[in-house]
Amino acid sequence: MSHNSFGHLFRVTTFGESHGPALGCVVDGCPPGLALTEAHIQPYLDKRRPGQSKYTTQRQEKDQVKILSGTFEGKTTGTPIGLLIENTDQRSKDYGEIKSKYRPGHADYTYDAKYGIRDYRGGGRSSARETAMRVAAGAVARRVLGRGIMIRAALIAMGEVEINSKMWSWKAVNENPFFCPDRKAAEEMAEYLDGLRKSGSSVGATIEVVASGVPAGWGAPIYGKLESDLAAAMMGINAVKGVEIGAGMGVSRLTGEENADEMRMKMGKPTFTSNNNGGVLGGISTGQDVVVRFAVKPTSSILTPRLTIDRKGKETDIRTKGRHDPCVGIRAVPVGEAMMACVLADHMLRHRAQCG
Amino acid sequence: MSHNSFGHLFRVTTFGESHGPALGCVVDGCPPGLALTEAHIQPYLDKRRPGQSKYTTQRQEKDQVKILSGTFEGKTTGTPIGLLIENTDQRSKDYGEIKSKYRPGHADYTYDAKYGIRDYRGGGRSSARETAMRVAAGAVARRVLGRGIMIRAALIAMGEVEINSKMWSWKAVNENPFFCPDRKAAEEMAEYLDGLRKSGSSVGATIEVVASGVPAGWGAPIYGKLESDLAAAMMGINAVKGVEIGAGMGVSRLTGEENADEMRMKMGKPTFTSNNNGGVLGGISTGQDVVVRFAVKPTSSILTPRLTIDRKGKETDIRTKGRHDPCVGIRAVPVGEAMMACVLADHMLRHRAQCG
Amino acid sequence: MSHNSFGHLFRVTTFGESHGPALGCVVDGCPPGLALTEAHIQPYLDKRRPGQSKYTTQRQEKDQVKILSGTFEGKTTGTPIGLLIENTDQRSKDYGEIKSKYRPGHADYTYDAKYGIRDYRGGGRSSARETAMRVAAGAVARRVLGRGIMIRAALIAMGEVEINSKMWSWKAVNENPFFCPDRKAAEEMAEYLDGLRKSGSSVGATIEVVASGVPAGWGAPIYGKLESDLAAAMMGINAVKGVEIGAGMGVSRLTGEENADEMRMKMGKPTFTSNNNGGVLGGISTGQDVVVRFAVKPTSSILTPRLTIDRKGKETDIRTKGRHDPCVGIRAVPVGEAMMACVLADHMLRHRAQCG
Amino acid sequence: MSHNSFGHLFRVTTFGESHGPALGCVVDGCPPGLALTEAHIQPYLDKRRPGQSKYTTQRQEKDQVKILSGTFEGKTTGTPIGLLIENTDQRSKDYGEIKSKYRPGHADYTYDAKYGIRDYRGGGRSSARETAMRVAAGAVARRVLGRGIMIRAALIAMGEVEINSKMWSWKAVNENPFFCPDRKAAEEMAEYLDGLRKSGSSVGATIEVVASGVPAGWGAPIYGKLESDLAAAMMGINAVKGVEIGAGMGVSRLTGEENADEMRMKMGKPTFTSNNNGGVLGGISTGQDVVVRFAVKPTSSILTPRLTIDRKGKETDIRTKGRHDPCVGIRAVPVGEAMMACVLADHMLRHRAQCG
């Protein structure tokens, strides 16, 4: 058991705090003989990296990853892959207020309640900075999955702005700073978020992650369900409060006739006429796209003062200055992809173990 | 690693199929010295038991649980608790159609894709009958948690009928066959579901589970988050497709000002002015109610014929006769409670291990 | 984590006490499609069963195993295999003395120190009766391993009597009640043990387990070493106090020249000129026989009174009457085989997971 | 599951190869609030460090450990502790022979058989250099255990030279380069090993590890036995081929009268008149010293040519030059202590979890 590990056979263990010397991660169980260098990992980190547009925190971190072990002459050896990112922009500053006051919406109070001690610099271990290592691990997972499986994510709602799913373009996702698949919605988001940003506010978002090419048969029944592991993976991302597979929370409104995805043969292969199940039935993949959505709450660090208490139990208020993402959901997009990749790589190996 | 185990320190392992001789479960890690007899478990099983109203399947199972080990003179000994429920109503019948055709919405196709073999009698391992053992394990978990923690669940939406949360009455929950906390909505549900039942259709539902009395500090950061384990627990229940904590998917629409739960002191104790976080911040409990919702899809077994294929890849259709729940979400209510109890008992022990 | 589970991908969880209603076990992770009925398991249980000669306890247990789940029409389905053995000979008796006094060499005192409560009937959970379920699980493991891998064990020393390894005959093992591979030594053991038995004494033994046909490449480095898992497996058997692989404790006396097994080619395949490594190098199998030995301490229940204390901390003495094995090591022979089978089945699946 | 992690609640994950940029380790589950800086760890690493006498390899590694996370202002925070040691003496050399030939007694052949790829530089992952991280983790484990528990180890046999246990002096252990507790035997070892070293040979050794102050009640029955975890821990150290607890393999020769440790009261506390059980009964600690011995095989790298084959299956021979320990068992002494500390810290937390 480990609170800081994820996965069973493709197993990721991370460490590091926001303002410590470095973040690191150990990827264990990776099959041998796969091509893997820093160049396979860095592009995904760059996608998540802060400071790339005015819509994300202006903290400047290069997030340069180093492979410390587990490869030889550019190939994985089957031994654990150690990855390290040194923290470079640990701006020295006065943490006086954060040190003694609990920021509403943050984990300050709960860490203190649990551990009685807390690295308050930038949120310490609870900082979303940890997700950099998830993205790095996800890049390794993609090597395991190979070219046949494509994992992509997009931001489909931000506050009042929702996309029109008929306008979905995967190409568009890479053309705007929101990873939004609907060009028109992206324009609206730009204006909307700019207003929020200037007022020192923040907003939530919904992300959809889609994995194509997953063969039928991955996953497992009961407590090893693909849905279960995907839900844990996404709900484990900072600030996530809801997870849906396929028709998601909406299944509550459907009748049996509407919901059940009917089956047909297409070019000799079983297909489905719809995908309400989100590519998973009874915990096991159907061969359709695996579709997961998750909702990210608004950044809790805002300029408007909020009521709170301090470590001594005195009532007070707090106004969180500093460099923050007005919509932390944006940078959760590559993180969602990474978690999907890690879950699938794990289940690929688990399936191979049991079923050959 | 186990596909059929749940939890780490309070660890539940189940076995058994719908139409096999018995279902069983091993609860490992239970603290010693707790009073535990069948009488502590049976009432929860009775709540979930089928055939109690016209709204649930008419299959008659007594679901009589036997404790096979782990207790002595009515107390837990710290050794594994073996629980067994014998299947009594395994009505002998012709499985011919289910045997060769895949029922849409069921796990028939995916089990075959994974294992190449399938116990087709009543869904085999994928049957919701397995949840009886979850309920039994949950009853043991409640003994671990003690009287200070109260876990309750209610059905808050069924198809078109949603409750008015202002009308919430925990007392009402036990007065109608739907576990609905809104008496008026319960009446609407009765009429609504009766219509669906008679037409051989089915419908989805939303369940809310609330745990009161959980102290601040349970849970863990990163991959051991309480949210993450709750999401896995609920998404692992049969037919669940969405999970929400606190404000859930709705956080996408909130601003930072609206979302962050402010803090005040009340009678010398930290409190919050709202509970959008659902009782968990950064993976760790806040001391507020832990609030989880999940959506259950409509029963896939319906009378209207649906398009499908058979094991040989031939297109056909299927009409699922037999005894089925028109809204399987109803019986998911005690299951949701049980999963909440198991997650909390596990985290209680995990917290005690690390923090004393 | 589970104190009552063994293995990772081929995962065995047991429950049950000596004098409870039943012993049980869940075998999870078994590949689908393997022929498995009670007839595949029972012969191994019969080999371990007590009361078959005057050299083992006269307790009469049929140890009749029932498969409760995980198979369909005689084949494994990939879902968890539930196994049950009902206890039939729970002779009603006065446990008065055992109830209040700690039997030296038994786990009475330590269970009380740990749990503060203890099922004292026949040792409860600490009884070697639990090993029946290991033997059952081992029989399933053998199905996973297939015919290419042969696992055999023999008793090679008992008190003062040691075998002459030059006289080793696997055939002889099944011809005497000690599983002794040396016919002459078996005769000596008969006489020697008869004397001990009559005087109410007991004696220790050494068992050797050999697995042939294990391919090179199973196992893993560091903490997943085959040696490490074999050591845990054997040391986990009741009353075992030492484990050796290959040259074992004797390597302490060897020089580098004597110890290193040299390599040659034989019919196009790598071979070794000796097997000091016991078939494992650096945690990974070499393709040679995997050879493990373990030492079982003498039965602690003897007729000679021993000094002890009671639960209240009063000094006293105890003389353990009842039906006991004079050499519990004899019945550990099939248990050692079973643990070897479980370890190898687990590593077979682990290897397949990572290396395809 | 992880091949590179050890422990359950006090969980250690290591990475790194002999000649890679760095070795690292993540210690997860450490309780918060413990004083921990590099100064608590470094002394143990210095004890294991090579190049300190002519009896160990002349490779010069400073083994300077850095804490990358998990502490704040000199105290543990409850978050994962990342530890790093950079490799500094990666002497550039021609690996030609090792690259293509399998060194007998090493894991060269088995790594290739398993992974099909191998970092041959200094043994890669199979190098005993990994044990530096075990020692670092062990130092953290000692912080968890606190001052009440003392863990010490000594080398008690080397080839032909065995200690006289009556001459045991813990003080002597730190006065000779062999960690030998018998001053006279240490002198004999010096002469004996010098001869072996000069001739380019090597020899095995036996190490005894003793933990004092362990309270009664730690450990667990069946598969969570303290003996079982200790056996796995010690057998997982490089080159170890045998593990004994208490009377060890010798129990085979004992009668029940000789073996069972009798109990008396001493100053109001239960004590034992002997310690054949090595401080563990039925998997649970008795309160006596926990005593474990393990045997380390001779260094496989020797100057005398040995028969072997190359990667292409051609017969050849090999003579291993370079800087090697003539008795690798010497440096296994601090490693054995570290593994004992890790096992005990894990069981301390496991006990606290279940029994409060």
Side-chain angles (χ1 to χ4, degrees):
Chain A
M1 195 202 74
S2 165
H3 299 312
N4 293 282
S5 296
F6 185 80
H8 294 268
L9 297 186
F10 183 85
R11 186 158 178 87
V12 176
T13 300
T14 73
F15 63 89
E17 286 92 34
S18 174
H19 285 59
L23 299 166
C25 143
V26 189
V27 179
D28 199 8
C30 187
L34 304 174
L36 181 73
T37 65
E38 281 88 350
H40 290 106
I41 305 174
Q42 197 60 47
Y44 296 100
L45 285 166
D46 291 346
K47 206 171 153 187
R48 180 203 157 278
R49 188 154 53 85
Q52 302 192 97
S53 83
K54 61 184 172 183
Y55 304 108
T56 57
T57 170
Q58 295 309 300
R59 180 172 172 168
Q60 293 294 336
E61 285 287 3
K62 279 193 160 174
D63 285 354
Q64 201 75 39
V65 71
K66 269 188 275 184
I67 300 178
L68 295 183
S69 67
T71 63
F72 185 58
E73 298 177 345
K75 288 195 173 164
T76 59
T77 58
T79 61
I81 300 166
L83 301 173
L84 202 80
I85 294 176
E86 289 180 56
N87 284 329
T88 54
D89 183 21
Q90 310 155 46
R91 194 180 288 196
S92 169
K93 71 171 179 181
D94 176 19
Y95 288 101
E97 223 180 10
I98 296 179
K99 186 174 168 176
S100 57
K101 294 181 181 178
Y102 300 128
R103 294 168 299 163
H106 280 286
D108 300 352
Y109 170 66
T110 53
Y111 268 61
D112 245 5
K114 183 173 193 70
Y115 299 118
I117 182 175
R118 176 167 69 90
D119 178 351
Y120 46 76
R121 300 166 306 165
R125 183 69 179 150
S126 75
S127 163
R129 196 149 168 61
E130 186 268 346
T131 60
M133 295 320 310
R134 301 184 186 219
V135 170
V140 180
R142 287 180 197 257
R143 303 301 303 162
V144 175
L145 294 169
R147 297 197 154 207
I149 292 177
M150 185 160 49
I151 296 167
R152 294 181 293 192
L155 186 150
I156 61 171
M158 176 197 289
E160 299 161 10
V161 190
E162 287 184 26
I163 66 152
N164 178 345
S165 62
K166 286 176 191 156
M167 303 304 291
W168 193 295
S169 155
W170 280 113
K171 201 156 163 289
V173 166
N174 297 311
E175 296 169 358
N176 63 70
F178 311 111
F179 303 111
C180 177
D182 171 350
R183 286 188 181 86
K184 191 149 158 295
E187 284 170 32
E188 291 172 47
M189 286 175 185
E191 193 176 352
Y192 174 71
L193 195 58
D194 219 29
L196 284 166
R197 185 179 61 83
K198 284 176 184 158
S199 70
S201 184
S202 65
V203 75
T206 305
I207 285 88
E208 182 164 315
V209 192
V210 180
S212 307
V214 178
W218 288 10
I222 315 298
Y223 307 107
K225 282 184 175 170
L226 206 48
E227 296 102 320
S228 200
D229 284 353
L230 286 168
M234 301 307 169
M235 202 67 105
I237 299 173
N238 304 50
V240 172
K241 286 291 175 181
V243 178
E244 302 186 314
I245 314 268
M249 296 303 293
V251 294
S252 176
R253 296 190 141 272
L254 300 181
T255 63
E257 289 78 8
E258 292 162 340
N259 178 66
D261 306 313
E262 295 180 297
M263 296 189 76
R264 292 285 87 181
M265 294 301 290
K266 206 169 174 176
M267 295 188 291
K269 283 185 57 182
T271 56
F272 297 82
T273 60
S274 53
N275 193 9
N276 287 312
N277 59 61
V280 197
L281 277 173
I284 301 170
S285 60
T286 62
Q288 297 170 277
D289 279 359
V290 177
V291 182
V292 181
R293 274 180 309 285
F294 60 90
V296 184
K297 71 181 189 186
T299 315
S300 296
S301 299
I302 49 176
L303 282 183
T304 312
R306 300 277 89 189
L307 301 177
T308 192
I309 60 170
D310 66 15
R311 294 194 76 184
K312 293 181 180 157
K314 227 187 93 200
E315 297 195 337
T316 178
D317 62 20
I318 193 165
R319 188 170 164 269
T320 319
K321 287 155 288 185
R323 302 159 294 169
H324 301 292
D325 290 282
C327 176
V328 76
I330 298 170
R331 288 170 56 213
V333 173
V335 181
E337 288 183 357
M339 294 311 291
M340 172 70 91
C342 288
V343 169
L344 291 178
D346 190 37
H347 273 284
M348 174 184 147
L349 301 185
R350 286 158 76 172
H351 179 68
R352 188 158 78 181
Q354 189 178 16
C355 298
Chain B
M1 197 201 75
S2 166
H3 298 314
N4 293 284
S5 296
F6 185 79
H8 293 270
L9 297 187
F10 183 85
R11 187 161 177 85
V12 176
T13 301
T14 74
F15 63 90
E17 284 94 34
S18 174
H19 285 60
L23 297 167
C25 141
V26 189
V27 178
D28 199 8
C30 188
L34 304 173
L36 181 73
T37 65
E38 280 88 351
H40 290 105
I41 305 174
Q42 198 61 47
Y44 297 100
L45 285 165
D46 291 346
K47 206 170 152 188
R48 179 204 157 277
R49 189 154 51 85
Q52 302 191 95
S53 82
K54 62 183 172 183
Y55 304 108
T56 56
T57 170
Q58 295 310 299
R59 179 171 173 168
Q60 293 294 336
E61 285 288 1
K62 280 195 162 174
D63 286 354
Q64 202 76 37
V65 71
K66 270 189 276 184
I67 300 179
L68 296 182
S69 66
T71 62
F72 184 59
E73 298 177 345
K75 288 197 173 163
T76 59
T77 59
T79 61
I81 300 164
L83 302 173
L84 202 79
I85 294 175
E86 288 179 59
N87 286 329
T88 53
D89 184 20
Q90 312 154 47
R91 193 179 289 196
S92 170
K93 70 172 181 183
D94 176 17
Y95 289 100
E97 222 180 10
I98 294 179
K99 186 175 169 175
S100 56
K101 293 181 183 179
Y102 299 128
R103 294 167 301 162
H106 280 286
D108 300 352
Y109 170 66
T110 54
Y111 267 61
D112 246 3
K114 182 172 194 71
Y115 300 118
I117 182 174
R118 178 167 67 90
D119 178 352
Y120 46 76
R121 301 166 305 165
R125 182 71 177 148
S126 75
S127 164
R129 195 150 169 61
E130 186 269 346
T131 60
M133 295 320 309
R134 302 184 186 219
V135 170
V140 180
R142 287 180 196 256
R143 303 302 302 163
V144 176
L145 293 170
R147 297 199 153 206
I149 292 176
M150 184 161 50
I151 295 166
R152 296 181 292 193
L155 186 147
I156 60 171
M158 178 197 285
E160 297 162 11
V161 189
E162 288 184 27
I163 67 153
N164 177 346
S165 61
K166 288 175 192 157
M167 304 303 293
W168 193 294
S169 155
W170 280 115
K171 199 157 165 289
V173 166
N174 297 312
E175 297 170 358
N176 63 72
F178 312 111
F179 304 110
C180 178
D182 171 351
R183 287 188 179 84
K184 191 150 159 294
E187 284 171 32
E188 291 172 46
M189 286 175 184
E191 192 174 352
Y192 174 72
L193 194 59
D194 219 29
L196 283 167
R197 185 180 62 84
K198 284 174 184 158
S199 69
S201 183
S202 65
V203 73
T206 305
I207 284 89
E208 182 165 314
V209 192
V210 180
S212 307
V214 178
W218 288 9
I222 315 296
Y223 307 107
K225 283 184 174 169
L226 206 49
E227 297 101 318
S228 199
D229 284 353
L230 287 167
M234 303 307 169
M235 201 68 105
I237 299 171
N238 304 48
V240 173
K241 285 291 176 182
V243 178
E244 299 185 315
I245 315 267
M249 295 303 293
V251 294
S252 177
R253 297 189 139 273
L254 301 180
T255 63
E257 289 77 9
E258 293 162 340
N259 178 66
D261 305 314
E262 295 181 295
M263 297 190 76
R264 294 284 85 182
M265 294 301 292
K266 207 169 174 176
M267 297 188 290
K269 281 185 59 182
T271 57
F272 296 81
T273 59
S274 54
N275 193 8
N276 286 312
N277 59 61
V280 197
L281 277 174
I284 301 170
S285 60
T286 62
Q288 296 169 278
D289 281 359
V290 176
V291 182
V292 181
R293 277 180 307 284
F294 61 90
V296 183
K297 71 181 190 185
T299 315
S300 297
S301 298
I302 49 177
L303 282 182
T304 314
R306 300 276 89 190
L307 303 176
T308 193
I309 61 172
D310 66 15
R311 291 195 77 184
K312 292 180 179 157
K314 226 186 98 201
E315 297 193 338
T316 177
D317 60 22
I318 192 165
R319 189 171 162 269
T320 318
K321 286 154 289 186
R323 304 159 292 167
H324 301 292
D325 290 282
C327 175
V328 77
I330 299 169
R331 287 171 57 216
V333 173
V335 182
E337 287 182 358
M339 294 311 290
M340 172 71 90
C342 288
V343 168
L344 290 178
D346 191 37
H347 273 283
M348 174 186 148
L349 301 185
R350 286 158 77 170
H351 179 68
R352 188 158 78 179
Q354 189 178 15
C355 299
Chain C
M1 198 203 73
S2 166
H3 298 313
N4 294 284
S5 296
F6 186 79
H8 294 269
L9 297 186
F10 182 86
R11 187 160 178 86
V12 176
T13 300
T14 74
F15 62 89
E17 285 93 34
S18 174
H19 284 61
L23 297 167
C25 142
V26 189
V27 178
D28 199 7
C30 188
L34 303 173
L36 182 73
T37 66
E38 280 88 349
H40 291 104
I41 304 174
Q42 198 61 47
Y44 297 100
L45 286 166
D46 291 347
K47 205 171 153 188
R48 178 204 159 277
R49 189 154 52 85
Q52 302 191 96
S53 82
K54 62 183 172 184
Y55 304 108
T56 57
T57 170
Q58 295 309 301
R59 179 170 172 167
Q60 292 294 337
E61 286 288 2
K62 280 195 161 173
D63 285 354
Q64 201 74 39
V65 71
K66 269 189 275 186
I67 298 179
L68 296 183
S69 66
T71 63
F72 185 58
E73 298 176 346
K75 286 195 175 165
T76 59
T77 59
T79 61
I81 300 164
L83 302 173
L84 203 78
I85 294 174
E86 288 179 59
N87 284 329
T88 54
D89 183 21
Q90 312 153 48
R91 192 181 290 196
S92 170
K93 70 170 180 183
D94 177 17
Y95 289 101
E97 222 181 9
I98 295 180
K99 187 175 168 175
S100 55
K101 293 181 183 179
Y102 300 128
R103 295 167 299 163
H106 280 286
D108 300 352
Y109 169 65
T110 54
Y111 268 62
D112 245 3
K114 181 173 195 71
Y115 299 118
I117 182 175
R118 178 167 68 90
D119 178 351
Y120 47 75
R121 301 167 304 167
R125 182 70 177 149
S126 76
S127 164
R129 199 153 163 59
E130 186 268 347
T131 60
M133 294 321 309
R134 302 185 185 218
V135 169
V140 181
R142 287 179 196 257
R143 303 303 301 163
V144 175
L145 293 169
R147 298 199 153 207
I149 292 176
M150 183 161 52
I151 296 166
R152 295 180 293 192
L155 186 148
I156 60 171
M158 175 196 287
E160 297 161 12
V161 189
E162 287 183 29
I163 66 153
N164 177 346
S165 60
K166 287 176 191 155
M167 303 304 292
W168 194 294
S169 155
W170 280 115
K171 197 154 168 289
V173 166
N174 297 311
E175 295 169 359
N176 64 72
F178 311 111
F179 304 111
C180 177
D182 171 350
R183 286 188 180 87
K184 192 151 159 292
E187 283 170 34
E188 292 172 46
M189 286 175 184
E191 192 175 352
Y192 173 71
L193 195 58
D194 219 28
L196 284 166
R197 184 179 64 83
K198 284 175 184 158
S199 69
S201 183
S202 64
V203 73
T206 305
I207 285 90
E208 182 165 314
V209 192
V210 180
S212 308
V214 178
W218 289 10
I222 315 297
Y223 307 108
K225 283 184 174 171
L226 205 48
E227 295 102 319
S228 199
D229 284 354
L230 287 168
M234 301 308 167
M235 201 67 105
I237 300 171
N238 304 48
V240 172
K241 286 290 176 182
V243 178
E244 301 185 314
I245 315 268
M249 295 303 292
V251 294
S252 176
R253 299 189 138 274
L254 300 181
T255 62
E257 288 77 9
E258 291 161 341
N259 179 66
D261 304 313
E262 295 181 295
M263 299 190 73
R264 295 284 84 183
M265 294 301 291
K266 206 170 174 177
M267 297 188 290
K269 283 185 59 183
T271 57
F272 295 81
T273 59
S274 54
N275 192 9
N276 286 312
N277 60 62
V280 196
L281 277 173
I284 303 170
S285 59
T286 62
Q288 296 169 278
D289 280 359
V290 176
V291 181
V292 181
R293 276 181 308 284
F294 60 90
V296 183
K297 71 181 189 185
T299 315
S300 297
S301 300
I302 49 178
L303 282 183
T304 313
R306 298 278 90 190
L307 302 178
T308 192
I309 61 171
D310 66 15
R311 291 195 78 184
K312 293 180 178 157
K314 227 186 95 201
E315 298 195 338
T316 178
D317 62 21
I318 192 164
R319 188 170 163 269
T320 319
K321 286 154 288 186
R323 303 159 294 169
H324 301 290
D325 290 282
C327 177
V328 77
I330 298 170
R331 287 171 56 215
V333 173
V335 182
E337 287 183 356
M339 294 311 291
M340 171 72 90
C342 289
V343 168
L344 291 177
D346 190 38
H347 273 283
M348 175 185 148
L349 301 184
R350 286 158 78 172
H351 180 68
R352 188 158 78 180
Q354 188 177 18
C355 299
Chain D
M1 196 204 74
S2 168
H3 298 313
N4 294 282
S5 295
F6 184 80
H8 294 268
L9 297 187
F10 183 85
R11 187 159 177 85
V12 176
T13 301
T14 73
F15 62 90
E17 285 94 34
S18 172
H19 285 61
L23 298 166
C25 143
V26 190
V27 178
D28 200 7
C30 187
L34 304 174
L36 182 72
T37 64
E38 279 89 350
H40 291 104
I41 305 174
Q42 196 62 46
Y44 297 99
L45 285 166
D46 291 346
K47 205 170 152 188
R48 180 205 157 275
R49 187 155 53 86
Q52 302 191 97
S53 81
K54 62 183 173 184
Y55 304 109
T56 57
T57 170
Q58 295 307 301
R59 179 170 173 170
Q60 292 295 335
E61 285 287 3
K62 278 193 161 174
D63 285 355
Q64 201 76 38
V65 71
K66 271 189 275 185
I67 299 179
L68 295 182
S69 68
T71 63
F72 185 58
E73 299 177 342
K75 287 195 174 163
T76 59
T77 59
T79 60
I81 300 165
L83 302 173
L84 202 79
I85 294 175
E86 289 180 58
N87 285 329
T88 53
D89 183 20
Q90 310 153 49
R91 195 181 288 197
S92 169
K93 69 170 180 182
D94 176 19
Y95 288 101
E97 223 181 8
I98 295 180
K99 185 175 169 175
S100 56
K101 292 181 182 178
Y102 300 127
R103 294 168 301 163
H106 280 286
D108 300 351
Y109 170 65
T110 54
Y111 268 61
D112 246 3
K114 181 172 195 70
Y115 299 118
I117 182 175
R118 176 167 68 90
D119 178 352
Y120 46 76
R121 300 167 305 165
R125 182 71 176 150
S126 75
S127 163
R129 199 152 164 61
E130 187 268 346
T131 59
M133 295 320 310
R134 303 185 184 217
V135 170
V140 181
R142 287 179 197 256
R143 303 303 302 164
V144 176
L145 293 169
R147 295 198 156 207
I149 292 176
M150 184 161 51
I151 296 166
R152 295 180 293 192
L155 185 149
I156 60 170
M158 177 197 286
E160 298 161 11
V161 189
E162 287 183 26
I163 67 153
N164 177 345
S165 61
K166 287 176 191 157
M167 303 304 292
W168 193 294
S169 155
W170 280 115
K171 198 155 166 289
V173 166
N174 297 311
E175 295 169 358
N176 64 71
F178 311 110
F179 304 110
C180 178
D182 172 350
R183 286 188 181 88
K184 193 152 157 293
E187 283 171 34
E188 291 173 46
M189 286 175 184
E191 193 176 352
Y192 173 71
L193 195 58
D194 218 30
L196 284 165
R197 184 179 62 83
K198 284 176 185 160
S199 70
S201 183
S202 65
V203 74
T206 304
I207 284 90
E208 183 164 314
V209 192
V210 180
S212 307
V214 178
W218 289 9
I222 314 300
Y223 307 108
K225 283 184 174 170
L226 205 49
E227 296 101 319
S228 200
D229 285 352
L230 286 169
M234 302 307 167
M235 201 67 106
I237 299 172
N238 305 50
V240 173
K241 285 292 175 180
V243 178
E244 301 186 314
I245 316 268
M249 296 302 292
V251 294
S252 177
R253 297 190 140 273
L254 301 180
T255 63
E257 290 77 9
E258 293 162 339
N259 179 65
D261 305 314
E262 296 180 294
M263 297 189 76
R264 293 285 86 181
M265 294 302 290
K266 206 169 175 177
M267 296 187 291
K269 282 185 59 183
T271 57
F272 295 83
T273 59
S274 54
N275 194 9
N276 286 312
N277 59 61
V280 198
L281 278 173
I284 301 171
S285 59
T286 62
Q288 297 170 276
D289 280 358
V290 177
V291 182
V292 181
R293 275 181 308 285
F294 59 91
V296 184
K297 71 181 189 186
T299 316
S300 296
S301 298
I302 48 176
L303 282 182
T304 313
R306 298 277 89 189
L307 301 178
T308 192
I309 61 170
D310 65 17
R311 294 195 74 183
K312 292 181 179 156
K314 228 187 96 201
E315 298 194 337
T316 177
D317 61 23
I318 192 165
R319 187 171 164 269
T320 319
K321 287 155 289 184
R323 304 160 293 168
H324 301 292
D325 290 282
C327 175
V328 77
I330 299 170
R331 287 170 57 214
V333 173
V335 181
E337 288 184 358
M339 295 311 291
M340 171 72 89
C342 288
V343 168
L344 290 178
D346 191 38
H347 272 284
M348 173 185 149
L349 302 184
R350 287 158 77 170
H351 180 67
R352 188 159 78 180
Q354 188 178 17
C355 299

